[in-house]
Amino acid sequence: MKFPTLAVSVLALALTACGAPDDTRAQDSVFEPPAERAVPRDAAEVKASFAPVVRATAPAVVNISARGVQTYRDPFWGQFRQQPTGSVGSGVIVRADGIVVTNNHVIQGMDEITVGLNDRRQFAAKVLLADERSDIAVLQLQNVEEPLPVLRIDTGEDQQIGDLVLAIGNPFGVGQTVTNGIISALNRTETGISDSGSFIQTDAAINPGNSGGALVDMDGDLIGINTAIFSRSGSSSGVGFAVPATMVQRVVDAALDGETSVVRPWLGVKGEPLTAEEATRMGLDRPRGLKVTDLFANGPAARAGIQAGDVILSVGGNEINDQGGLNFRVGTRAPGDTVAVTLLRDGREQRVNARVQPLPGEINLDAAVVIREGALAGAQVLALNPAIADRLLGDPFAEGVIVGGLTRNSIAARQGFRRGDIIVSISGRPVSSADQLAGLSRGTQVVIERGGQRLNGTMR
């Protein structure tokens, strides 16, 4: 029976209305105007409200809507048709003259981009630079006549697991929304999002439409761009990832310098994480570092004196535990920068300085050629160099000739070749150019790499 509780509530209201004795001072305090609030100075003040941080940061977070035209093949008529397409996401103003950062996947393939501010103003925008690898794009708002609110990019990397953060964006297109959480992890590399990414993980709710929005700390600084979530439903499940501010700043700098792409330097090293047994054998307190398994001849690492078998412990003072972490730390540097590398060799730590450089070779995808005769006729192939291999495969050490396409019902297609296959050797000889693949006869032995596995075959 719920009636007794209800009766007590009614009686209490009646006594209050009749002027029953009460703490009028407590009542009066409820109706007093709120005191002026400022950005919290310590953890105790944060517990009261996030409002001061939101008030300082939200005006610089924008809504992005983009429109384009998608070309597709009609499954019934077999004709190519076009249909309008669009996307909605978020972005962050990082310079008062209208420089905006968002995710590349929000604007990729779009022709018209409109940016809406928190105060309902709208601006057309053009793309200055779109970096698919980091999933960061930089936009320039058009016809900006007065300074806009901005968020400061904090590249100090002094965040800690457990720090409070806010995610600000435009989820589901309902309008600007703020969610709070903590930093769940730092330097997440094994996410499958990017082979050169090192992400901030947060449990602040990130949902569709939040892409490109801000992850801010309690100082009101931008520490990351919200990019991806792990979810089975498509909605937030408390596992979100943000591109760290160091990479965001690298892409912004490239855009402002007039570059059309982000040139990522490399160290010329390939390695694998240490196992627990190897760490114990080497005298380490725990498994950490990247064991060097391969060096590019005359590359930055080789010139710095790094050797196969060395264990790279840190780059620029940042701990390295896997290849993704190394790629990220080196990739945030500008070509020609000198970085300090701490490594373990013969049980002793050593420090060397390496000057990181762009990957060798030109990225000229138009250099692909079609094989016209022989057992590989109809295959479009491209010889790999470190720059092309890194762009297409994420592995600058990959060697051989990659199959970029196949003519339908061609001899190469009937042989069983697939797009993306890497032809490693022919009759036991390494392949490094398309010329080696012309005029191949039946019975020729071929080795290809497909999905990380090497397969042997014979031309029919």
Side-chain angles (χ1 to χ4, degrees):
M1 294 279 293
K2 298 293 184 182
F3 296 113
T5 303
L6 178 60
V8 170
S9 300
V10 173
L11 178 61
L13 288 173
L15 288 173
T16 301
C18 293
D22 201 349
D23 189 348
T24 55
R25 290 172 297 175
Q27 276 191 333
D28 290 342
S29 66
V30 174
F31 298 103
E32 290 176 358
E36 185 69 23
R37 288 188 281 177
V39 173
R41 292 168 296 180
D42 53 42
E45 291 188 3
V46 166
K47 293 178 181 178
S49 175
F50 294 111
V53 179
V54 175
R55 188 165 55 244
T57 58
V61 181
V62 299
N63 167 246
I64 294 178
S65 59
R67 294 189 299 174
V69 176
Q70 182 180 29
T71 302
Y72 71 101
R73 188 180 184 88
D74 189 305
F76 185 77
W77 298 105
Q79 299 175 337
F80 286 99
R81 300 182 183 277
Q82 293 184 327
Q83 65 179 13
T85 185
S87 68
V88 176
S90 307
V92 183
I93 306 173
V94 296
R95 221 171 72 165
D97 60 352
I99 298 297
V100 171
V101 174
T102 186
N103 280 143
N104 176 69
H105 73 257
V106 171
I107 54 88
Q108 190 171 30
M110 300 299 166
D111 301 318
E112 298 179 20
I113 302 171
T114 302
V115 174
L117 272 60
N118 195 26
D119 61 9
R120 306 180 70 84
R121 284 182 292 170
Q122 291 190 338
F123 295 87
K126 69 175 183 179
V127 179
L128 295 183
L129 190 154
D131 184 50
E132 188 173 358
R133 193 80 173 268
S134 65
D135 199 14
I136 294 295
V138 181
L139 313 178
Q140 172 68 70
L141 303 189
Q142 305 296 289
N143 302 317
V144 176
E145 298 177 353
E146 58 185 44
L148 299 177
V150 301
L151 276 184
R152 187 182 79 89
I153 303 176
D154 181 2
T155 59
E157 293 191 280
D158 57 354
Q159 296 85 29
Q160 299 181 39
I161 296 173
D163 281 353
L164 290 169
V165 290
L166 301 179
I168 310 177
N170 189 56
F172 303 112
V174 300
Q176 191 176 88
T177 304
V178 181
T179 57
N180 77 285
I182 63 169
I183 293 177
S184 306
L186 296 166
N187 304 317
R188 285 290 196 211
T189 54
E190 301 298 325
T191 61
I193 302 171
S194 167
D195 64 320
S196 62
S198 181
F199 297 91
I200 300 171
Q201 181 181 330
T202 178
D203 69 344
I206 299 173
N207 290 294
N210 268 125
S211 292
L215 188 70
V216 302
D217 61 15
M218 292 301 101
D219 292 327
D221 293 331
L222 181 71
I223 63 170
I225 293 294
N226 298 319
T227 296
I229 59 173
F230 277 170
S231 172
R232 294 182 179 179
S233 66
S235 297
S236 177
S237 57
V239 184
F241 298 96
V243 178
T246 48
M247 179 57 76
V248 175
Q249 186 68 66
R250 174 78 180 90
V251 180
V252 170
D253 289 344
L256 296 180
D257 287 343
E259 299 177 22
T260 57
S261 63
V262 179
V263 179
R264 285 178 173 77
W266 77 327
L267 197 58
V269 163
K270 191 172 186 178
E272 57 188 28
L274 284 184
T275 65
E277 293 77 9
E278 289 172 327
T280 300
R281 189 168 60 250
M282 293 180 180
L284 294 173
D285 57 342
R286 55 188 171 84
R288 57 189 177 98
L290 182 76
K291 183 173 66 175
V292 177
T293 59
D294 200 0
L295 287 161
F296 190 79
N298 201 37
R303 291 197 298 270
I306 297 174
Q307 304 173 9
D310 289 345
V311 177
I312 297 176
L313 300 176
S314 68
V315 171
N318 298 287
E319 185 174 296
I320 301 297
N321 289 311
D322 52 33
Q323 188 72 49
L326 178 66
N327 293 346
F328 174 78
R329 289 300 168 190
V330 175
T332 57
R333 303 283 182 153
D337 282 356
T338 298
V339 297
V341 180
T342 302
L343 53 87
L344 184 68
R345 178 186 297 168
D346 298 328
R348 293 184 301 175
E349 287 193 12
Q350 301 185 29
R351 175 173 163 167
V352 300
N353 292 319
R355 189 180 183 190
V356 297
Q357 297 289 346
L359 281 78
E362 294 184 3
I363 302 177
N364 182 11
L365 303 183
D366 295 332
V369 299
V370 177
I371 305 299
R372 301 294 182 185
E373 58 183 20
L376 265 174
Q380 184 185 45
V381 298
L382 179 66
L384 295 176
N385 59 40
I388 290 177
D390 183 63
R391 169 71 66 85
L392 298 180
L393 306 169
D395 179 11
F397 281 80
E399 297 179 326
V401 173
I402 189 169
V403 177
L406 292 162
T407 303
R408 182 179 294 184
N409 296 322
S410 64
I411 295 175
R414 295 197 297 270
Q415 294 277 6
F417 285 93
R418 300 178 188 173
R419 183 179 182 181
D421 285 347
I422 300 173
I423 303 172
V424 178
S425 67
I426 295 290
S427 298
R429 298 188 304 274
V431 175
S432 58
S433 73
D435 294 340
Q436 296 173 258
L437 305 179
L440 295 180
S441 60
R442 292 183 177 182
T444 301
Q445 299 295 312
V446 60
V447 177
I448 68 170
E449 186 170 306
R450 176 185 294 167
Q453 294 184 329
R454 292 212 167 185
L455 306 174
N456 299 292
T458 303
M459 296 294 191
R460 300 189 303 273

